[in-house]
Amino acid sequence: MKNNIKIQTRNYGFYYGNTKVLADIDMDILKNSTTAIIGPSGCGKSTFIRTFNRMNDLIVNAKVAGEIKIDGIDIYKDNIDVVDLRKKVGMVFQRPNPFPKTIYENIVYGPRLHKRCTKQQLDNIVEVSLKKSALWDEVKNKLRGSAMELSGGQQQRLCIARVLAVDPEIILMDEPASSLDPISTQRIEDLIDELKENYTIIIVTHNMQQAARVSQKTAFLLTENIGEPAKLIEYDNTDKIFTNPSDKRTENYITGRFG
């Protein structure tokens, strides 16, 4: 099992200044799988996943405690190249955020940033990335058209393609379907199911049915009392979390008794 672990957190905590918002999180996240992070609003789910690509570094007075390892390497060591880390750990946000450029230019932005590519190589990256994100057939004849003219669901799949274009190993998804209609949401969920064959996916979602559908493991975070940091209440196989949770607090949350 150890060889199948992609990410490890040990005694993980997170601070805004002197305020501790997350505490004592120990998790082993498996490679080539989807892990759902659930919990009430404001419990630090998004903050937690942004730890893995160090986006929280951009927050003034933010501080991490404990240990975060990817492939056995502590990503908060001084010698870590954060640009390389963010290439390895891509992120898809709650609302689609395509660049105000063409579809083609959205996809090639990252590859151009990280390496020198020929026009043929870039063309290939665009086609492969759009096929992986299940968008190619819809846009292959309008690659030079504006990304802003796509529907919301198409824009989100374009953002996923943009992440895939730099060949990541881990994809973080922060409520990627919360602003989409049911048909677009289904497409994103189907895509997650396909992508997990080759990528490690971590998804934050408020939708319990979605967590149950797309993930193999589920982590439940909870702040029990105002002013206290959120903690990991339970982390287990998704089937067990949703049918026979070990902790009464987990059961109360997923059945809608609070949160």
Side-chain angles (χ1 to χ4, degrees):
M1 174 67 77
K2 193 158 189 178
N3 291 336
N4 200 35
I5 295 171
K6 188 67 177 176
I7 303 172
Q8 289 180 303
T9 74
R10 292 292 180 268
N11 301 315
Y12 167 80
F14 185 82
Y15 296 78
Y16 290 119
N18 294 321
T19 303
K20 194 172 191 178
V21 295
L22 290 165
D24 307 326
I25 297 178
D26 289 350
M27 285 178 65
D28 289 341
I29 296 174
L30 304 181
K31 65 178 65 172
N32 293 7
S33 68
T34 301
T35 300
I37 312 293
I38 64 171
S41 296
C43 73
K45 300 183 297 296
S46 296
T47 297
F48 179 50
I49 69 164
R50 288 170 187 236
T51 296
F52 302 130
N53 65 352
R54 289 185 52 173
M55 280 196 67
N56 293 325
D57 290 12
L58 306 174
I59 301 170
V60 177
N61 294 325
K63 186 175 67 175
V64 169
E67 200 173 62
I68 305 283
K69 289 183 176 181
I70 295 178
D71 294 328
I73 298 170
D74 189 335
I75 64 170
Y76 280 85
K77 293 293 186 187
D78 291 339
N79 63 344
I80 294 297
D81 185 321
V82 178
V83 174
D84 282 347
L85 175 67
R86 290 177 186 154
K87 176 179 177 292
K88 183 175 184 174
V89 186
M91 185 151 193
V92 178
F93 296 91
Q94 183 172 356
R95 293 191 177 279
N97 62 339
F99 302 140
K101 298 174 179 287
T102 66
I103 294 167
Y104 184 95
E105 288 298 323
N106 266 267
I107 303 297
V108 300
Y109 181 86
R112 279 182 177 153
L113 201 64
H114 290 287
K115 57 186 176 182
R116 294 179 67 88
C117 297
T118 66
K119 172 71 163 57
Q120 186 173 359
Q121 287 171 326
L122 290 174
D123 289 349
N124 186 60
I125 288 170
V126 168
E127 182 172 347
V128 169
S129 301
L130 288 170
K131 283 180 175 177
K132 284 183 178 178
S133 64
L135 190 56
W136 174 252
D137 288 341
E138 296 167 50
V139 302
K140 62 184 178 184
N141 295 321
K142 49 183 177 181
L143 296 178
R144 302 298 174 178
S146 172
M148 311 309 290
E149 295 176 359
L150 298 174
S151 70
Q154 289 175 323
Q155 286 185 4
Q156 192 66 302
R157 281 182 284 148
L158 177 64
C159 292
I160 293 171
R162 193 173 65 197
V163 167
L164 296 176
V166 296
D167 199 23
E169 297 175 19
I170 298 164
I171 304 173
L172 310 175
M173 295 186 167
D174 193 355
E175 297 193 63
S178 64
S179 64
L180 304 180
D181 62 80
I183 292 173
S184 297
T185 296
Q186 180 66 55
R187 285 180 175 158
I188 295 293
E189 290 183 6
D190 290 343
L191 184 54
I192 290 170
D193 193 51
E194 292 172 18
L195 290 174
K196 78 174 190 300
E197 300 299 322
N198 296 299
Y199 305 91
T200 300
I201 299 173
I202 305 170
I203 178 172
V204 167
T205 180
H206 279 104
N207 185 323
M208 296 300 97
Q209 291 79 17
Q210 183 174 80
R213 286 192 297 264
V214 304
S215 70
Q216 290 72 59
K217 292 273 190 180
T218 297
F220 172 49
L221 299 182
L222 179 66
T223 305
E224 292 204 83
N225 299 298
I226 294 174
E228 291 183 359
K231 295 185 177 180
L232 178 63
I233 302 302
E234 190 166 354
Y235 176 52
D236 211 325
N237 293 332
T238 295
D239 287 348
K240 185 175 187 306
I241 290 285
F242 282 94
T243 59
N244 186 29
S246 300
D247 194 294
K248 187 68 176 176
R249 293 166 293 182
T250 310
E251 181 182 346
N252 287 342
Y253 179 69
I254 63 176
T255 56
R257 294 196 180 105
F258 75 87

